[in-house]
Amino acid sequence: MSTLLIYGATGYTGRMAAERAKALGLNVEIAGRSHQRLAGLAAQLDVPYRVFDTDADIQSFLSGVSVLLNFAGPFAHTAEPLMRACIVAGVDYLDITAEINVYRLAEKLGAQAASSNVMLLPGVGWDVVPTDSLAVQAARRVDKPTALSIALQVPGSMSRGSAMSVSEILGAGLLARVDGELIATPDATPRHFDFGQGPVLCVPLSFGDLVTAWHSTGIPNIAMFVHIAGDAFPEGDLSLLPDGPTAEQRDAHRARAVVEVMGADGTTARSVIETVNGYSYTPLAAVEAARRVLNGERLPGFATPAKVFGDGFAQSIAGTVITDF
């Protein structure tokens, strides 16, 4: 039976994913840096565990593993050593990052991964799964799609790990895809999007969709935005933040994203996707993605969720609704 290894399993979202994988009966093992925390969770779930850091000889810890699912952020620190070890060890790599530089790295390593029959599939969480599905579906509704805008709504409070990843996203600078190329757009301006309750102001930000949407849709011009609601982007000492929102807080804030696709003739298609809270959606989508990969749904090299699983993948998670305009 193929083995799924969840790295970063004792973190806020990683723990939910480990519990989900165990509940589904997957052959799952957990991994990370803290022996004490891993031993406790492994005992609770009755699963094996492996202790290693990303500066170790990682491939030696991947024996018998078919799929590695990385939850350890900031991913700028963990993705590259784990990806490179997976390529050497012949293990498919998945993660849940929104950090654009991780996608650029996976894209760069794609040919090497393909030659080793390894898949690099970042973004199997709330970003990028819903927006990837939505972009592909909306692109079909116009003739010769030429431009794509994606806006995310970030409601409620943010986990400590996500807040740290946001620092990496901001550090990448403002980018957009123009005529197929990623370019710096420091003068990009905010614009309004309607997530279903009237237009709200969204600011430009460089998420991984600038890479994945290009591969999934072929649309040459892509811009990304985010609407920050409430206390979504915390400031100060991020290490003092709680692990993440409580179950009650997650249930109080559903997540939404909107895409707009313009065709060559100027016509526009707009769609909104609404899901359970992103922190609830991510472990469900990530483990479902891993389950499918274990069952043979895979494309060697750099891949995107919609390319591997089809554009209906986002809707396979219960509570997901798409509205077309």
Side-chain angles (χ1 to χ4, degrees):
M1 187 176 182
S2 298
T3 298
L4 166 65
L5 184 65
I6 296 180
Y7 190 77
T10 62
Y12 175 71
T13 313
R15 177 180 290 267
M16 288 190 282
E19 292 169 349
R20 176 67 175 173
K22 177 66 175 181
L24 289 180
L26 301 183
N27 188 32
V28 61
E29 298 187 20
I30 60 174
R33 296 177 298 176
S34 171
H35 185 282
Q36 182 177 2
R37 296 178 68 186
L38 283 166
L41 181 58
Q44 175 189 327
L45 297 179
D46 189 24
V47 299
Y49 66 97
R50 310 182 186 203
V51 184
F52 62 92
D53 202 342
T54 52
D55 60 3
D57 179 21
I58 298 172
Q59 57 261 34
S60 66
F61 291 95
L62 298 181
S63 175
V65 174
S66 299
V67 175
L68 185 144
L69 178 53
N70 181 18
F71 283 87
F75 294 85
H77 303 159
T78 64
E80 181 167 5
L82 289 172
M83 283 184 195
R84 291 188 181 278
C86 283
I87 291 172
V88 173
V91 175
D92 288 330
Y93 172 92
L94 284 64
D95 72 29
I96 60 159
T97 190
E99 299 169 29
I100 186 169
N101 284 338
V102 173
Y103 294 85
R104 298 171 79 178
L105 171 66
E107 188 181 40
K108 180 180 177 180
L109 294 176
Q112 184 181 349
S115 67
S116 298
N117 193 30
V118 167
M119 178 170 66
L120 302 178
L121 180 60
V124 292
W126 194 83
D127 189 64
V128 164
V129 168
T131 46
D132 207 38
S133 290
L134 200 62
V136 174
Q137 292 182 33
R140 291 204 191 96
R141 295 167 50 210
V142 302
D143 183 45
K144 298 178 182 177
T146 60
L148 167 66
S149 295
I150 303 172
L152 309 176
Q153 189 179 55
V154 181
S157 58
M158 183 175 290
S159 74
R160 182 171 60 246
S162 293
M164 291 178 176
S165 277
V166 165
S167 297
E168 298 293 339
I169 294 168
L170 294 173
L174 289 180
L175 301 168
R177 192 167 291 274
V178 179
D179 295 331
E181 300 294 329
L182 272 181
I183 66 167
T185 54
D187 298 324
T189 56
R191 54 166 292 194
H192 287 82
F193 289 87
D194 189 347
F195 294 91
Q197 298 173 318
V200 293
L201 190 65
C202 300
V203 297
L205 201 62
S206 306
F207 282 94
D209 301 78
L210 291 172
V211 177
T212 55
W214 161 243
H215 285 271
S216 293
T217 69
I219 297 175
N221 301 289
I222 304 171
M224 285 216 67
F225 301 83
V226 62
H227 173 64
I228 305 167
D231 57 351
F233 279 19
E235 298 179 348
D237 187 349
L238 301 182
S239 67
L240 300 178
L241 292 173
D243 284 349
T246 64
E248 293 75 19
Q249 289 170 329
R250 295 197 305 269
D251 289 345
H253 296 284
R254 286 174 64 80
R256 297 174 181 84
V258 59
V259 303
E260 293 181 357
V261 180
M262 179 177 291
D265 60 358
T267 58
T268 300
R270 182 170 70 91
S271 297
V272 174
I273 189 165
E274 179 181 330
T275 75
V276 294
N277 185 274
Y279 290 112
S280 299
Y281 188 97
T282 290
L284 296 174
V287 172
E288 174 60 15
R291 186 191 69 81
R292 294 189 185 200
V293 176
L294 288 168
N295 288 336
E297 294 184 48
R298 54 190 302 278
L299 294 172
F302 172 70
T304 68
K307 283 284 191 179
V308 179
F309 309 122
D311 59 52
F313 181 54
Q315 292 139 289
S316 71
I317 307 304
T320 301
V321 180
I322 290 178
T323 305
D324 297 327
F325 296 92

